[in-house]
Amino acid sequence: MQAISERQTQIAMKFDCKDKPKEWYDWKWHIKNSIKSISRFEAVTGIRFEATEREKLAVTLEKFPLSVTPYYLSLIDTANFANDPIFKQAFPSPEELKVSRHDMSDPLHEDKDSPAPGVTHRYPDRVLLQVSNICSMYCRHCTRKRKVGDQDSIPGREQIEAGLDYIRNNPLVRDVLLSGGDPLMLSDAHLDWILTELRQIKHVQVIRIGTRMPVVLPYRINDELTTMLKKHHPLWINTHFNHPRELTSSSRRALRQLADAGIPLGNQTVLLAGVNDCPRIMRSLVHKLTENRVRPYYLYQCDLSEGLSHFRTPVGKGIEIMENLIGHTSGFAVPTYVIDAPGGGGKIPVMPNYLISLSTNKVVLRNYEGVITTYKEPDSYEPIFCDRNCDDCHLDLPLADAEECEATGIQMLLCDHDTTISLTPANNPRMDRRNND
Ligand SMILES: *Cc1c(COP(=O)(O)O)cnc(C)c1O
C-alpha cells in the first residue's frame, strides 16, 4: 500500500476516517464520502465562495447535481482553483445554465436510437449497453448530463436482462460496449453476472467497458476486480483522462494493474476550453498515457449537450492540436479526432488535409513539416471487378470465417456488385418535381 500524500491526509482529516491509509484506499469509502454540496466542498477544500456566487451555484446544482470523490478533490490546486483543470471538471459553473439555441438534451439521439431500454444500436455490428446511470464523480462536461442522478433512469436487473436479450437476438452484434454512468460503480458480483451472460452469447466477440474510475477513483481497480475481469477476455477498457495532471501515482498504479491483467487500454479525451485546449497539454497527456500503456483512442469535439457551451472550442482548435501531434510524435500516441454527429450519425473523424492534389498517375501530398511530395501511382493495376462471388476470386479469404454484410452508404456507392449511382436526401425538391410528372 502506498503512503498517502500530505494533501490527502489533510483531506481525509475532514472526514470520519479512522484508519487513514486503509480507508483512503477503499473505493467504497470514497463513494460514501463523495462531496455533494457547496458547503461541504467549501469545508473540505477551504475554498470560499461569495454569497451571490453560492446562490448561483445552488441553482446550477438543482439542474445538474454535484458529486466528487475525496480522491479527485484532493488533486485540486486550491491556491489557483479558478484555473485548475481538476476543479473545472468537477465543480459546477453557473455557465451551465446558459442554454444556447443549438443545445440539445440528447444531441446524439441515444434515446431515439434505442431498440431496447438502455441499448443504443447505432452501428451495424456493435451496441452500447448502459448498465448504470451513476458515477463516482459527475463530470461537468458529461454528454449524458440529462441523466445524471436521475432516479428514473437507473437500469435495474430487468432492464439489463432486456438489453441482454436484444443482443442475444441480434447475431450481427459482435462488440458490446458497457457504458453508463460508470459500469465500475456496479459491484464485482453484478458486473461478473453481466459479463458472464454476455460471454455466453456466441456472436459476441469482444466486450468493452468505458470507465473513468482510473481517473477519479483509482482505488476501484483492486485485486478482486481484476481477478474477476480476467475471466472474461477478450475484454477491452477505455478510460477518460483529459489532463496530464490526472496521471497521479494512484492512477498509474490502477492502469498498471489493468494492463497486467491483460486488458488493452484506450483513452477517450474530450477537448475542453480552459482545461486542455492547448497542443502542449495534449502532447504531454498522450505521452503520459502511452508511458502507462494506454493508447490514446479518441479526441472528442465537445458535444452539443445542454450546459456545456462554456467548454466548447471551435473545431479549428482540434485540427490545430492534430497538426501538432501527427508526425511530431509516435503514431500510436495520436488519437483520432472525432465529432459525434448531432442526430445520431455516429462519430465522424476529422483530420488536417494531407492530400493536396492528384492527376491520373500522381498524387501530391504534404507532410507535417510542410514538405510537398509526390507519389507516383502504379502504371498498371488491374482493377478486379468484384461481384462478391468469392469462389471465383484468387485472393485468399477463408470463407467459413467471413461475415456476410450488406453494403450501405458510401461503401455501397463504391462497390461493383451494387448498381446504385447516387444517394439523395429524402426531401430533395428536384426528386419531388420528378415524381410529379
Ligand atoms: C462510440 C459508440 C460506439 C463505439 O464506437 P467505436 O468507434 O467502435 O469505438 C458504439 N455505439 C455507440 C452508440 C457509440 O456512441
Side-chain angles (χ1 to χ4, degrees), residues 120 122-123 126-128 177 208 297-298 300 340 347:
T120 304
R122 169 159 305 148
Y123 300 103
R126 53 209 189 276
V127 298
L128 187 137
L177 211 160
R208 303 192 244 177
Y297 181 52
Y298 282 139
Y300 283 95
D340 215 332
K347 299 172 188 74

Side-chain angles (χ1 to χ4, degrees), residues 203-354:
H203 52 267
V204 173
Q205 297 169 355
V206 282
I207 302 173
R208 303 192 244 177
I209 296 177
T211 175
R212 208 176 182 201
M213 287 293 189
V215 188
V216 295
L217 184 44
Y219 315 125
R220 176 64 183 99
I221 315 304
N222 56 24
D223 293 343
E224 294 77 41
L225 179 74
T226 46
T227 304
M228 182 275 286
L229 293 177
K230 268 203 288 211
K231 297 189 302 183
H232 302 287
H233 276 311
L235 179 75
W236 296 57
I237 286 186
N238 263 337
T239 185
H240 176 36
F241 285 88
N242 284 332
H243 194 279
R245 284 245 323 268
E246 294 171 331
L247 284 132
T248 63
S249 57
S250 298
S251 277
R252 295 199 305 268
R253 196 269 322 149
L255 296 173
R256 185 165 63 242
Q257 192 166 343
L258 289 170
D260 285 348
I263 303 170
L265 299 173
N267 185 71
Q268 320 201 142
T269 295
V270 182
L271 180 53
L272 297 169
V275 173
N276 59 16
D277 51 337
C278 157
R280 285 186 77 182
I281 289 178
M282 282 297 185
R283 192 177 152 87
S284 160
L285 174 63
V286 299
H287 287 168
K288 284 203 169 180
L289 288 168
T290 50
E291 240 182 287
N292 288 284
R293 295 188 274 173
V294 183
R295 167 89 154 88
Y297 181 52
Y298 282 139
L299 170 63
Y300 283 95
Q301 175 65 15
C302 188
D303 284 332
L304 294 176
S305 299
E306 279 173 15
L308 304 187
S309 57
H310 58 300
F311 279 127
R312 283 182 212 128
T313 66
V315 174
K317 180 50 77 176
I319 298 288
E320 181 193 344
I321 288 169
M322 296 306 289
E323 286 278 14
N324 276 269
L325 294 176
I326 297 171
H328 296 275
T329 192
S330 320
F332 66 85
V334 181
T336 304
Y337 178 37
V338 293
I339 303 179
D340 215 332
K347 299 172 188 74
I348 300 174
V350 277
M351 279 269 267
N353 292 324
Y354 292 96

